[in-house]
Amino acid sequence: MGEMEQLRKEADALKDQITAARKAVQDTTLEEAAAGVAVVGRVQMKTRKTLRGHLAKIYAMHWATDSKLCVSASQDGKLIVWDSITTNKVNAIPLKSSWVMTCAYAPSGNLVACGGLDNMCSIYNLKGKDGNVKVMRELAAHTGYLSCCRFISDTEIITSSGDCTCILWDIETGTQKTSFAGHQGDCMSLAVSPDFSYFISGACDFTAKLWDIRDGNCRQTFAGHESDINAIGFFPNGQAVITGSDDATCKLYDLRADQELITYQDSSIMCGVTSLAPSLSGRLILAGYDDFNVNIWDSLKAERVGALAGHDNRVSCIGVSADGMACCTGSWDSFLKIWN
Amino acid sequence: MAEAQRRREGEEWEEQGGAEETEAPKEEAPKEAPKEAPKEAPKEELKEAQKEAQKEAQKEAPKEEAQKEAPKEELKEAPKEELKEAPKEEAQKEAQKEAQKEAPKEELKEELKEAPKEELKEAPKEELKEAQTEAPQTPTRPLLATRSTSSADPDDDSPNMIVYRKIEDIVTRIQDETEGVPIRTVKSFMTKIPSVVTGEECEGTDIVQWLMKNLSMDDPAEAMHIGSLIAAQGYFFPISDHVLCLKDDGTFYRFQAPYFWPSNCWEPENTDYAIYLCKRTMQNKTRLELADYEAENLARLQRAFARKWEFIYMQAEAQVKIDRKKDKTERKILDSQERAFWDVHRPVPGCVNTTEMDIRKCRRMKNPHRVKKSVYGLAEEGTQSHSPVHTPSHHSRKGTREDVEKEILFLNTQLDRHCMKMSKVAESLISYTEQYMEYDPFMTSPEPSNPWTSDDPTFWDLEASKEPSQQRVKKWAFSLEEALKDPAGHELFLKFLESEFSSENLRFWLAVQDLKRVPQQEVAQRAQDIWAEFLAEGAPSSINLDSHSYERASHNLKDPGRYCYEDAQDHIYKLMKSDSYTRFLRSNVYQDLLMARKKPETEQGRRTSLEKFTRSVGKSLTGKRLTGLMQSS
């Protein structure tokens, strides 16, 4: 037997053992355990605001930590910072490349970032001295499109890319600090843990990976989806991960049990999940789909408890504000809507 | 992607067309669909229907001849001409297999002509299933299964293909004789055989009912939503409207020929569209009159293709000639299917263009060679139009020895990890959601109101005020994290610790948090300051560190960075959690605050909180009023 074959056999044997170990702790399912929990009942939300101004598909949006401002990126080549209460545009930032795919708001509120087919992450300073918003840094090192970016602070940002890697950058020097390699397919999305020590990435190799930000290692890998994972997020307690995929399902994985807890699916949902966000308590999961709707799931019972229908095209991004008061959806129909 | 293609062609029409699509306000209801067709259609349909039955028997013979006649290039004609006969099956199975491989374009076209036609058979379903050699059959097909009787390549896992397979499953089942919708039998007094070609018509309500029943939906709105999605992709269409959506009424729908299915990866060029529109103007049928937007498109195309208009005209003429040879009824059906195809690829202004793909997914389309560009068999032009992507060079690397070794290492660490029991994990998740339920505005209405719903920012004002609500104070007891997260929380915690003269831990923790955020040039100095204050020998606020963390910190200080105190901070955090935090929660300062804001369970309590509420809101108002009074008097 060739050496490679032997090694592969060893790897497979280990995988089997891991599967067995995971099975061994399956003394119940989340659904069973939650059987006694009171049902949520129908959740109905209305559109409270519509943010108009983009001229083309919106690909991404992100709330600021003050729960009032948010930033959105559209293929019309603009990054717009909105005061979502008044629906006024606080900033309309023209981009060098219109093929933008992601945007992020720094927790401090001072910076925003975006990136796309230009393979770069551009950082903009919103609080510049003269009041103009300018490019502060252009972080270039990825060899593939920038699919997602999230700030850790004003000095660090993590990006995920179509080149199958994620990178932690030092914004001040504009250099790479750590590269997170391991995925076998385009990284589509990432999310940072509430304590900022870990982040998770979802990729087109159908898996999600948990990474230690400081030492750069992959701590855990979660498989189970049958197609690209487009969206990923942490459960608010930071101990579980929610993923959304092109296989039309969302899944909840627990970090401590090291496996999938439950799947959110329905026979009448055929289209892929593009984006997701949990409510403040985690009891509800809002997921945006290619079929123009957002479905609201009871996270413990895996039942659909509501839907947001209001967009005329694919829902491409969704976010729940930090105080949990409202959720914002962005769509290919060029509008953002605030719901609750 | 379609947009990008058009841009690349650099034609004026594309620029305008592309711009229109991005700027067209979606508010406009797509009411531009032509109204002239419906008037004629019903009458004509009946007449055609009458003739169809007569032609039924005759159809068999002319097909064979037509097949021989039709030149190779006329892709559109071929699918309609053949009827499946048993002996042909083998050839077609072969054809389909080959179709999956990357055969040279001509052959590929030929095979694809034959392969999708499997679906058109009215013969027993067994034949249909046999023809799909690639797809394994399952007796009951759950909707989410990716294997199906569709013509989409079952090995193609690109996102759109997955959805197409599901839709094609549904569409096949809808048309099933026994399980499907009631098909309008064309000519009942002549014969009971339903229409041979996929020209079956059925009513909108029937489709909605079928969807509700077979996809277990209670709400007809849901069925209409899915139905409209399927229609928007072009799998069935209203026979007298350009707008592809499903209505729950007597509107008649027809099913699209599998040849035109999106799973065949069509990306028709503008030359094809020009030929199509041109052809329509040549045929003297009122039902084929161009809609306004189509006339505009034609005008633009004429300008854009001015140099090669003669060529396009000739192609259109050739198409018309071939069409004339066909059976009238069949022609009608084909016309409608062709129109529906173009409604998908060149939608009515204001309608969603379902052929648009997420650019992140475009470049990963497997079998880019399968992309079919010309409906009318025109050879591909010079410019290869692809969306702005770069060649993937790193995908599906078969692991090298190093990779596998790394994997084994990783797997070993995984195995060493202790998996927590599902029951424990589930319990902690459930209790978390229950604990935070009252803080989740989607689950519990916030008081006094949700600012988004009521347009009243009082809630936010209260949150920002110096006096935290009882609810907020309660949250600090959930975890140390919550207490530290809230500025009012860690302020109180600090106050408590200072009263005990044990605040150095918390102050250290806060200082290190700060260090992570200062500008780069201040980092070194700040790190030194922290060392001096908390860690050096004889430090004023000496903290208690274990030897390991202490060594790490002192080592890191040689080259101080933002995270040089990471280990120390973790250790101190754990100390606080187990020691000072629990004392804090039991302390008088905290308990007093918690109790003082007790929720109205008693009359007194109610009055107190109401008083406080009105006081805080009224303060600003009365203040103004008072000054006003004082000024005036």
Side-chain angles (χ1 to χ4, degrees):
Chain A
M1 210 185 293
E3 210 182 341
M4 274 300 272
E5 250 199 83
Q6 259 191 314
L7 286 175
R8 289 230 175 83
K9 277 204 102 181
E10 195 182 335
D12 287 338
L14 284 170
K15 283 189 194 151
D16 288 338
Q17 283 185 280
I18 290 176
T19 313
R22 286 178 177 161
K23 268 212 103 163
V25 295
Q26 281 175 10
D27 54 347
T28 182
T29 65
L30 179 57
E31 268 174 293
E32 279 167 28
V37 179
V39 276
V40 170
R42 196 114 198 105
V43 174
Q44 282 175 318
M45 296 195 194
K46 293 210 181 102
T47 304
R48 303 295 170 187
K49 307 277 177 190
T50 301
L51 306 178
R52 294 165 219 270
H54 279 301
L55 302 173
K57 299 191 184 80
I58 292 174
Y59 259 76
M61 69 79 49
H62 195 212
W63 281 100
T65 44
D66 70 356
S67 300
K68 294 177 194 158
L69 297 176
C70 67
V71 64
S72 62
S74 159
Q75 304 251 296
D76 62 2
K78 289 250 165 48
L79 208 61
I80 297 183
V81 177
W82 307 84
D83 175 337
S84 44
I85 302 173
T86 59
T87 74
N88 289 339
K89 302 179 195 40
V90 177
N91 298 103
I93 307 165
L95 305 173
K96 280 190 202 165
S97 160
S98 71
W99 299 100
V100 64
M101 295 166 171
T102 181
C103 62
Y105 219 121
S108 63
N110 298 330
L111 310 171
V112 287
C114 69
L117 278 185
D118 58 357
N119 299 0
M120 287 191 320
C121 181
S122 306
I123 315 279
Y124 293 84
N125 186 355
L126 296 176
K127 310 277 168 77
K129 291 196 182 104
D130 53 359
N132 283 338
V133 175
K134 284 193 290 232
V135 180
M136 202 179 94
R137 283 285 177 279
E138 279 175 346
L139 309 172
H142 278 300
T143 53
Y145 61 82
L146 207 83
S147 53
C148 190
C149 57
R150 285 292 176 259
F151 283 94
I152 308 245
S153 66
D154 277 8
T155 50
E156 287 185 316
I157 190 170
I158 302 185
T159 57
S160 66
S161 165
D163 67 8
C164 312
T165 67
C166 298
I167 293 179
L168 170 70
W169 304 83
D170 179 320
I171 296 178
E172 280 183 322
T173 57
T175 55
Q176 287 192 52
K177 277 177 118 166
T178 324
S179 174
F180 304 88
H183 275 299
Q184 303 278 313
D186 301 12
C187 294
M188 293 294 283
S189 178
L190 73 96
V192 183
S193 69
D195 64 2
F196 294 101
S197 48
Y198 293 101
F199 79 93
I200 38 171
S201 59
C204 294
D205 60 1
F206 313 174
T207 67
K209 283 182 183 287
L210 176 77
W211 307 87
D212 182 321
I213 295 182
R214 293 300 137 218
D215 66 23
N217 291 326
C218 169
R219 291 256 165 265
Q220 283 169 273
T221 303
F222 300 99
H225 274 295
E226 294 170 4
S227 186
D228 302 353
I229 294 179
N230 297 322
I232 198 162
F234 268 99
F235 195 86
N237 69 355
Q239 299 291 338
V241 167
I242 317 165
T243 53
S245 163
D246 272 334
D247 64 8
T249 71
C250 294
K251 285 179 190 285
L252 180 71
Y253 296 93
D254 189 278
L255 302 183
R256 295 159 303 179
D258 192 35
Q259 58 189 291
E260 176 189 326
L261 287 185
I262 204 165
T263 300
Y264 307 101
Q265 67 186 354
D266 188 296
S267 59
S268 63
I269 301 177
M270 294 188 296
C271 291
V273 179
T274 59
S275 48
L276 58 83
S279 72
L280 190 136
S281 65
R283 186 62 197 271
L284 301 177
I285 295 176
L286 293 90
Y289 290 76
D290 280 346
D291 67 3
F292 315 173
N293 285 345
V294 171
N295 287 312
I296 306 178
W297 296 91
D298 175 338
S299 62
L300 300 179
K301 297 185 186 269
E303 282 164 5
R304 222 161 31 125
V305 293
L308 307 178
H311 283 292
D312 296 324
N313 205 329
R314 193 181 287 206
V315 173
S316 54
C317 48
I318 193 169
V320 170
S321 60
D323 60 7
M325 288 285 175
C327 98
C328 178
T329 53
S331 163
W332 279 13
D333 67 5
S334 81
F335 300 117
L336 292 150
K337 285 182 189 274
I338 314 275
W339 311 74
N340 75 356
Chain B
M1 189 166 168
E3 276 173 52
Q5 260 188 347
R6 284 180 226 143
R7 272 186 217 135
R8 199 150 276 105
E9 286 193 43
E11 305 281 12
E12 179 198 38
W13 182 84
E14 278 72 49
E15 300 292 278
Q16 292 187 359
E20 259 191 26
E21 272 172 1
T22 52
E23 284 160 34
K26 299 299 171 192
E27 320 285 59
E28 267 176 27
K31 292 203 172 79
E32 289 127 88
K35 296 291 175 201
E36 70 279 353
K39 294 180 219 152
E40 300 291 327
K43 274 195 207 155
E44 261 189 83
E45 300 281 302
L46 282 171
K47 275 195 222 156
E48 307 300 325
Q50 280 168 1
K51 288 184 198 156
E52 215 181 61
Q54 288 170 338
K55 307 255 161 137
E56 207 86 70
Q58 296 168 16
K59 263 184 196 166
E60 316 285 323
K63 292 271 186 296
E64 301 288 273
E65 292 166 51
Q67 191 194 358
K68 291 175 202 150
E69 283 178 15
K72 232 181 177 197
E73 289 82 60
E74 308 315 326
L75 294 173
K76 268 183 22 51
E77 317 318 312
K80 314 305 169 202
E81 286 156 307
E82 298 173 30
L83 277 184
K84 247 24 110 290
E85 272 131 26
K88 281 210 174 135
E89 246 178 58
E90 293 310 302
Q92 282 160 355
K93 275 189 204 171
E94 288 305 301
Q96 198 190 15
K97 277 201 190 123
E98 272 182 74
Q100 308 294 0
K101 301 177 199 151
E102 283 154 1
K105 244 186 176 272
E106 302 309 313
E107 290 176 22
L108 191 64
K109 283 180 192 170
E110 192 76 287
E111 264 109 53
L112 285 171
K113 274 189 261 170
E114 298 169 7
K117 284 204 13 59
E118 317 273 7
E119 273 69 66
L120 299 179
K121 281 194 287 187
E122 88 281 24
K125 286 296 164 191
E126 286 71 54
E127 285 189 330
L128 182 65
K129 284 177 188 169
E130 276 171 355
Q132 300 286 348
T133 50
E134 304 285 346
Q137 302 304 306
T138 47
T140 48
R141 198 166 296 107
L143 208 60
L144 294 177
T146 48
R147 302 288 170 194
S148 71
T149 55
S150 81
S151 69
D153 179 356
D155 291 324
D156 188 338
D157 280 327
S158 64
N160 280 3
M161 282 303 165
I162 297 174
V163 182
Y164 293 151
R165 273 198 289 269
K166 291 176 192 169
I167 296 180
E168 286 165 11
D169 232 21
I170 294 178
V171 162
T172 314
R173 280 163 61 201
I174 290 186
Q175 294 177 75
D176 183 84
E177 274 168 39
T178 39
E179 307 280 304
V181 284
I183 302 294
R184 227 169 66 107
T185 14
V186 180
K187 208 49 243 163
S188 42
F189 71 81
M190 291 294 274
T191 162
K192 292 209 174 58
I193 305 172
S195 181
V196 169
V197 176
T198 341
E200 285 109 345
E201 293 153 28
C202 57
E203 295 191 14
T205 21
D206 290 336
I207 298 183
V208 174
Q209 291 301 314
W210 188 95
L211 287 172
M212 279 177 68
K213 177 170 151 218
N214 287 273
L215 301 184
S216 338
M217 291 181 221
D218 311 309
D219 190 4
E222 264 200 66
M224 277 176 56
H225 177 74
I226 290 206
S228 290
L229 280 178
I230 299 179
Q233 297 285 346
Y235 281 93
F236 54 70
F237 54 92
I239 55 179
S240 0
D241 199 347
H242 279 289
V243 177
L244 300 169
C245 69
L246 178 62
K247 295 198 193 128
D248 194 5
D249 57 19
T251 318
F252 281 110
Y253 290 83
R254 183 171 283 146
F255 291 89
Q256 182 59 287
Y259 176 72
F260 283 130
W261 282 359
S263 48
N264 288 332
C265 304
W266 286 107
E267 279 177 35
E269 305 268 317
N270 280 317
T271 33
D272 271 7
Y273 189 43
I275 292 171
Y276 169 67
L277 290 177
C278 199
K279 175 170 83 145
R280 288 253 305 264
T281 58
M282 291 174 185
Q283 293 161 312
N284 267 333
K285 295 194 178 101
T286 5
R287 67 181 166 87
L288 292 174
E289 250 171 38
L290 295 182
D292 287 342
Y293 78 95
E294 290 177 311
E296 277 179 45
N297 288 346
L298 181 57
R300 278 196 215 101
L301 285 167
Q302 278 173 327
R303 281 201 300 277
F305 289 131
R307 277 170 278 126
K308 57 178 177 181
W309 196 255
E310 213 180 298
F311 168 74
I312 290 178
Y313 195 83
M314 269 168 39
Q315 290 293 319
E317 277 185 323
Q319 289 290 318
V320 172
K321 237 189 233 170
I322 294 161
D323 289 353
R324 282 212 187 102
K325 292 188 185 148
K326 317 215 115 219
D327 174 68
K328 237 188 187 171
T329 324
E330 205 187 328
R331 187 66 241 151
K332 272 206 70 202
I333 292 169
L334 295 174
D335 279 351
S336 68
Q337 288 172 332
E338 192 186 2
R339 185 198 68 194
F341 172 80
W342 287 110
D343 286 341
V344 169
H345 291 272
R346 298 290 185 275
V348 178
C351 284
V352 173
N353 186 340
T354 54
T355 60
E356 285 176 329
M357 276 184 75
D358 187 331
I359 48 182
R360 294 170 293 190
K361 312 276 182 168
C362 286
R363 70 191 191 97
R364 285 173 49 245
M365 252 174 62
K366 296 183 187 168
N367 297 337
H369 308 274
R370 273 196 78 204
V371 170
K372 296 162 72 161
K373 296 222 185 277
S374 176
V375 189
Y376 305 111
L378 303 184
E380 220 172 273
E381 317 234 308
T383 46
Q384 268 297 334
S385 31
H386 291 295
S387 42
V389 294
H390 72 260
T391 42
S393 53
H394 46 259
H395 289 294
S396 51
R397 339 179 314 272
K398 287 300 166 193
T400 59
R401 187 212 156 94
E402 232 183 74
D403 288 337
V404 185
E405 282 178 342
K406 260 199 223 162
E407 203 190 348
I408 290 176
L409 256 167
F410 177 73
L411 291 169
N412 270 312
T413 13
Q414 295 269 285
L415 200 52
D416 285 339
R417 169 201 319 283
H418 168 66
C419 285
M420 205 185 271
K421 280 210 185 120
M422 291 280 261
S423 51
K424 280 197 94 177
V425 155
E427 200 199 298
S428 95
L429 271 178
I430 293 170
S431 58
Y432 185 91
T433 58
E434 292 190 323
Q435 193 179 46
Y436 281 86
M437 186 155 331
E438 66 176 286
Y439 298 90
D440 186 341
F442 292 167
M443 304 288 294
T444 319
S445 283
E447 286 183 31
S449 67
N450 186 323
W452 291 102
T453 328
S454 63
D455 265 338
D456 175 8
T458 312
F459 182 88
W460 282 327
D461 292 338
L462 290 176
E463 285 282 300
S465 76
K466 280 288 171 191
E467 301 172 8
S469 68
Q470 188 253 6
Q471 228 191 11
R472 223 170 114 190
V473 175
K474 199 169 92 174
K475 217 193 213 180
W476 302 342
F478 290 177
S479 66
L480 176 55
E481 214 183 311
E482 284 292 350
L484 293 175
K485 214 161 62 169
D486 188 338
H490 80 237
E491 223 180 273
L492 192 72
F493 189 17
L494 192 62
K495 210 164 108 184
F496 162 71
L497 290 174
E498 276 170 354
S499 72
E500 284 195 336
F501 303 102
S502 60
S503 64
E504 62 279 354
N505 283 350
L506 182 54
R507 282 189 290 118
F508 171 72
W509 190 89
L510 290 169
V512 175
Q513 282 298 90
D514 223 30
L515 176 65
K516 294 181 195 172
R517 290 184 215 119
V518 296
Q520 190 58 41
Q521 52 265 51
E522 294 180 32
V523 167
Q525 182 59 52
R526 198 60 89 80
Q528 292 290 352
D529 291 344
I530 292 177
W531 179 268
E533 175 76 17
F534 298 100
L535 292 158
E537 254 196 57
S541 312
S542 177
I543 57 171
N544 214 347
L545 270 191
D546 61 310
S547 54
H548 171 77
S549 310
Y550 191 87
E551 308 228 337
R552 289 298 301 274
S554 95
H555 174 82
N556 289 342
L557 202 59
K558 295 188 186 128
D559 182 20
R562 281 181 215 289
Y563 298 95
C564 56
Y565 292 116
E566 199 75 350
D567 286 335
Q569 197 189 28
D570 281 344
H571 180 83
I572 293 295
Y573 188 87
K574 289 195 184 100
L575 267 181
M576 286 198 293
K577 199 165 159 180
S578 59
D579 181 37
S580 32
Y581 176 61
T582 30
R583 286 206 320 276
F584 167 62
L585 292 180
R586 281 184 267 129
S587 72
N588 285 334
V589 240
Y590 178 73
Q591 287 296 325
D592 285 349
L593 197 59
L594 187 66
M595 300 305 211
R597 302 278 191 266
K598 207 177 181 79
K599 268 286 167 110
E601 267 151 20
T602 62
E603 269 281 321
Q604 193 182 31
R606 197 174 296 128
R607 252 187 286 127
T608 327
S609 58
L610 183 62
E611 261 175 45
K612 286 200 164 73
F613 172 74
T614 39
R615 226 183 285 148
S616 65
V617 169
K619 226 181 251 177
S620 44
L621 294 173
T622 40
K624 290 188 192 130
R625 247 184 271 134
L626 271 174
T627 40
L629 277 171
M630 282 167 70
Q631 279 176 350
S632 61
S633 55

